[in-house]
Structures are given as C-alpha cells and as structure tokens.
Amino acid sequence: MSKPLEKALLFLSDGLATHLAFWAWGALRQRHGFYVEPEPQQFLLNATVIFLFWLALFVFFGLYRSWYAQSRVDEFLGVAKVVSLGVLLIFLATFEPRQDFSNPLSASRAMILSYWLLTVVAVSSGRLLLRTFQRTLLEAGIGVRRTVIAGWGRRARELFDHLRKSPALGYEVLGFIDLQQPPAQEAYRACPVLGSLRDLPALLQQNSIAEVLIAVDGDSREEVAAVLQGCQGLPVRCKIVPALFDVIIGQARTNQIYGFPLIDVMPEPMAAWERHVKRLADVIIAAAGLVLLLPFWLPALLAIWAETRQPVFCEQWRVGLRGRRFKRYLLRTARNGSIENVGTPQEGKVGRAIRRLHLEGVPQLWNVLKGEMSLVGPRAERPELVGGLQREVPFYFRRLQVKPGIIGWAQLKGDCDAALETVKAMLPYDFFYIENMSLRMDLKISLNAIYAGLLRRKS
C-alpha cells in the first residue's frame, strides 16, 4: 500500500486502540472504586488528549516509518518500549509529593500498571492486524518494490531463489545487472540480465527501481563500490549480501529477513527521535536568536547600508539536502561585490566589526527556520563546487543526505569558502560528522564553536 495510506491506517488503528485502552482502564478503576465517571463529552476530550500524547511519542520514536515485512515481534517490542516510557511520564506528571511519599505504591497508583498493559495489548494488536494485512497484500504482489540484483554469479542466483520463495518480503526482481563487460546474454529462471554496470544509472531511472540488492561472489570491494557509485544521487536504497566470514567475525551488522542476511547500506544517520529533537532545537534556538537580536538589527542594517550603499543582505546559492538548491542569507560586509570576497580591502569598518563579532551569519537563522539548514551540520557548498566534487569524490552523495549547518566539524577546522582542493581536504571532517551524527556530537561541536569564538574575540 502507499505510504500515505499506510500512515493513515496506522493513525486510525492507534487512535482506536488508545481510546479503547483508556475506556477499559476507566471502567476497571470505577469497578474498584477509584474513578468517578465524567460526562461523555469530558471523557471523550480526556481520551483525545491522551491520544495526542501517544501520537507525539509514536512520531517522536519513529513508529510511523514505512514497513516492509519486518518482524512483528520487533513491532511489538518497539510499541512496548515507547508505551513503557509514556506511562512512566504520565506517572511522574501526576505525582503528588505529600500523598505519594507517605504511601509510595497505593492501590490507586498501582492501577497505572493495568493501563500500561491495556495500552500495550491494544496498540500492538491493532498494529499486528494491520501488518498481517500488509503481508497478505505483498504476498499477492500488491505494493511490492521494483528491484534489481547487482551480480550474476552463485550468490546472486541464490538470493533470487530466496526472494522468489518469500514473496512477503515485497521484492519484485526485474532482472540482474552483470558487473562484467560485456554483459551476459542469458536469463536465470526467466529473469533476464538487464545490462552491465555501465548501464546501471539509466536502468534504474527507466524502470523506476526502488532497491538494488548487491550480491557479488568473493570479496570484491571494488565491484561493490562501483555499484554504489552508479546509484549515486538516485532515489534508491542499496542492500548488500555479506560474505559469511564478515558475518561470523562481526564486521557486518545484518538484518535477517526469513533467515537471509542483508546489510542496509548507508541508512539514516540519526535515529528518528534524535532527528525530531534536533529539528525542535533548531526551530527554538533560531526563533529565539532572531527575536533576541531584534535590538541589533535596525542599527546594524542602517550602518551597513550607509557604508556600502547596497542591499544589506547577500543572497548566495547553496546546495542542501538531497541536492536541492536554496538561497543562503548573510549580512553584507564589503563595499562592493558580495560576501564571497572575504578578507578583501573592500571591507569597511562596519563590515570588519560585524565579522569580528561573527554576526555576518545571523540571517542564516531564517534558513534554519525554513528547514533548509540546521544549526549544526556539514558546510553549505556552492553548486559549482558540488558538481566537481560529485565527479571526483566517491560517495560524495552521502554528504547530501544531511542538511548543511551554520556550524560544523569542518567549519571549526578550516575555511568554509576556499578553493576546490582545500574543500576536498576538509571533506573527511564532514564525513566523520555524518557517520557519527548524534545529539551528543552536535552539543560537542556547539561548545567547541562557542569556545573558539571566545578565543578569537580575546585575540
């Protein structure tokens, strides 16, 4: 089924389940003399508020991500963990120090355990029914993902056999990609060889491929790298069939699907809940920064205009998330030209003062509010540089899977607007950040940026 329909059904299922659990818990409390039944309108309002609380938690922890034949046990455990946290928050929010310290586990308070159990059972049951229905659709060929297998050897054919025996996995294999040149003019069990590695980008686009499964014989890292490079910039997911040795020694973290291991290549850098917290922090801090700096704006803008006689804001095209271009805004610091010409004699007294105080980048907070940038992330590069880097740097597209940031690991280590060769030398810092993205990493970079700013101001 489509993603919007899947999310709508999950929303409906969770809504019914949480309302049912709340009603059953109210009836149970009333039966034991702990609950006074409110008016029907008030009860419905209470149940709706509780549902909105659960909805926020479920979204926060990524329980509405797309699902493809994942383990229903994992689904149950995911729901149980989030519900446990939610019930704990409710328990703490309704804590009454005087009464609860004198009687830590009264019968009335202990009833919250029954609410936990009712909610876990209700939400899990609704979701498991929906997942079973989805699995049935996939087995009937409805909602499958168009897939190609990159490889034309024993391992590729074993993978094809396994996928054909397990239709609930949701893969529709259109054919094989022969990694040798010229490609084999054969078929395996009526599944053809579509072309060679050289044809891969065109084949992916022409056939609307959603996933590429890489199955090469031996330990051919060059072939795997070539396949990933061929998928660069295209909206496809890649998975690799690992070598048995890698699995045994623990070098490959695998997802077992019906007993067949697949490595998800380059998954999301951050967990869903961390992404939501990061975005929430971006919005709050950016909005607060723009509001708190209001007294600075008017005199600064007037001073910049008086000195430069040009528009006070510079607009620069930058490349952001998934290669989308956007305009980044900065305060002008030079009499002529744009802020791209950093450090030239064009800078006046006002421009030098703004740069010394590191205030030229404050308008980027507007880009953060719009969702084009983040407070912390890789550098926002110029389109002409990105074009060259994509041709010369393997897996550069990985860098475009993350929003650019006002500050970042690379920004702390070197010049943000340097020549192509210098930018290439700074790329390891960006890749290090992407592979280690976390709220803790963002906090570390932010503290380092504050410390570096204070040191520059003293010097």
Side-chain angles (χ1 to χ4, degrees):
M1 63 180 65
S2 65
K3 291 182 181 180
L5 178 58
E6 178 188 8
K7 287 179 171 55
L9 290 176
L10 277 176
F11 179 85
L12 179 62
S13 172
D14 291 343
L16 291 173
T18 53
H19 277 74
L20 179 62
F22 188 69
W23 174 83
W25 185 60
L28 189 63
R29 284 176 58 85
Q30 186 176 19
R31 182 177 179 181
H32 288 81
F34 299 125
Y35 188 74
V36 177
E37 184 178 1
E39 294 295 323
Q41 298 88 343
Q42 184 62 42
F43 178 84
L44 184 60
L45 177 62
N46 294 344
T48 302
V49 170
I50 289 292
F51 167 62
L52 294 176
F53 166 76
W54 288 121
L55 178 64
L57 273 185
F58 292 168
V59 170
F60 194 75
F61 285 97
L63 293 187
Y64 290 101
R65 287 174 294 187
S66 293
W67 177 93
Y68 277 105
Q70 296 175 2
S71 167
R72 283 167 286 190
V73 174
D74 289 340
E75 178 95 26
F76 171 79
L77 293 176
V79 169
K81 285 191 292 186
V82 176
V83 170
S84 298
L85 176 62
V87 169
L88 178 61
L89 292 176
I90 293 173
F91 182 84
L92 295 176
T94 57
F95 191 79
E96 298 179 8
R98 288 186 180 179
Q99 180 178 344
D100 292 328
F101 276 128
S102 61
N103 188 8
L105 196 61
S106 64
S108 177
R109 296 291 282 169
M111 289 291 291
I112 201 167
L113 295 176
S114 62
Y115 179 63
W116 169 81
L117 180 61
L118 288 168
T119 306
V120 169
V121 171
V123 174
S124 298
S125 298
R127 283 175 164 254
L128 293 181
L129 285 173
L130 178 59
R131 298 314 189 190
T132 301
F133 176 61
Q134 282 184 270
R135 187 181 294 269
T136 303
L137 291 179
L138 290 172
E139 289 175 345
I142 301 172
V144 293
R145 291 158 290 172
R146 296 168 70 85
T147 306
V148 295
I149 296 177
W152 181 241
R154 178 186 56 82
R155 189 174 294 175
R157 299 179 190 197
E158 286 179 354
L159 175 60
F160 175 80
D161 289 338
H162 188 83
L163 296 179
R164 196 167 69 165
K165 293 176 184 175
S166 308
L169 291 174
Y171 290 106
E172 180 189 7
V173 181
L174 300 187
F176 297 88
I177 303 296
D178 191 348
L179 304 184
Q180 305 300 319
Q181 188 70 27
Q185 301 297 317
E186 304 177 45
Y188 177 69
R189 300 193 176 180
C191 188
V193 174
L194 299 176
S196 67
L197 186 56
R198 185 183 303 170
D199 308 315
L200 180 60
L203 287 170
L204 296 180
Q205 291 178 304
Q206 292 167 6
N207 295 283
S208 302
I209 300 300
E211 291 207 14
V212 176
L213 305 181
I214 306 172
V216 297
D217 292 326
D219 186 20
S220 182
R221 299 185 181 182
E222 292 79 11
E223 289 182 334
V224 172
V227 173
L228 295 178
Q229 190 72 25
C231 299
Q232 177 176 326
L234 298 175
V236 297
R237 295 188 65 178
C238 296
K239 290 186 173 69
I240 300 177
V241 179
L244 179 60
F245 180 70
D246 290 336
V247 176
I248 292 173
I249 65 175
Q251 290 185 354
R253 179 177 296 177
T254 64
N255 293 319
Q256 298 288 335
I257 53 171
Y258 287 86
F260 203 91
L262 285 175
I263 301 174
D264 199 351
V265 182
M266 300 179 183
E268 289 291 336
M270 298 183 81
W273 72 270
E274 285 193 298
R275 289 199 308 274
H276 293 307
V277 172
K278 181 178 173 70
R279 178 58 185 157
L280 182 63
D282 282 347
V283 171
I284 292 174
I285 296 174
L290 289 172
V291 171
L292 293 175
L293 288 171
L294 279 177
F296 156 80
W297 284 113
L298 186 58
L301 298 181
L302 288 174
I304 291 171
W305 183 84
E307 185 173 69
T308 65
R309 299 293 177 175
Q310 294 188 48
V312 294
F313 293 110
C314 287
E315 297 179 353
Q316 303 173 343
W317 283 105
R318 288 293 185 265
V319 177
L321 184 66
R322 298 184 180 90
R324 289 193 287 267
R325 296 188 180 193
F326 68 95
K327 285 184 178 180
R328 180 177 76 166
Y329 302 98
L330 297 170
L331 289 177
R332 186 179 299 278
T333 61
R335 292 190 182 93
N336 298 305
S338 71
I339 200 168
E340 300 283 1
N341 302 315
V342 175
T344 66
Q346 305 288 344
E347 278 190 342
K349 292 181 180 179
V350 175
R352 281 194 294 272
I354 288 174
R355 189 171 294 285
R356 192 175 299 116
L357 295 171
H358 307 290
L359 295 174
E360 72 277 5
V362 170
Q364 293 176 102
L365 294 176
W366 178 244
N367 295 112
V368 173
L369 278 180
K370 291 169 66 179
E372 297 166 336
M373 296 181 68
S374 179
L375 294 173
V376 181
R379 295 164 300 153
E381 294 292 6
R382 299 191 292 274
E384 60 270 20
L385 283 183
V386 171
L389 291 167
Q390 285 183 308
R391 290 189 295 270
E392 298 182 31
V393 179
F395 310 124
Y396 182 81
F397 67 93
R398 178 67 168 158
R399 191 178 178 277
L400 301 179
Q401 302 305 307
V402 177
K403 288 181 186 178
I406 297 178
I407 58 174
W409 204 235
Q411 291 92 311
L412 294 175
K413 298 295 182 178
D415 192 354
C416 295
D417 295 297
L420 177 61
E421 290 304 316
T422 307
V423 171
K424 285 171 63 176
M426 304 305 295
L427 280 177
Y429 295 109
D430 285 336
F431 285 124
F432 176 82
Y433 170 76
I434 292 169
E435 297 306 325
N436 295 276
M437 274 186 73
S438 65
L439 295 176
R440 180 181 177 184
M441 184 72 171
D442 281 9
L443 179 60
K444 178 181 178 180
I445 290 173
S446 300
L447 294 176
N448 272 274
I450 294 171
Y451 179 70
L454 293 174
L455 282 183
R456 290 186 198 128
R457 199 168 295 179
K458 289 178 182 179
S459 59

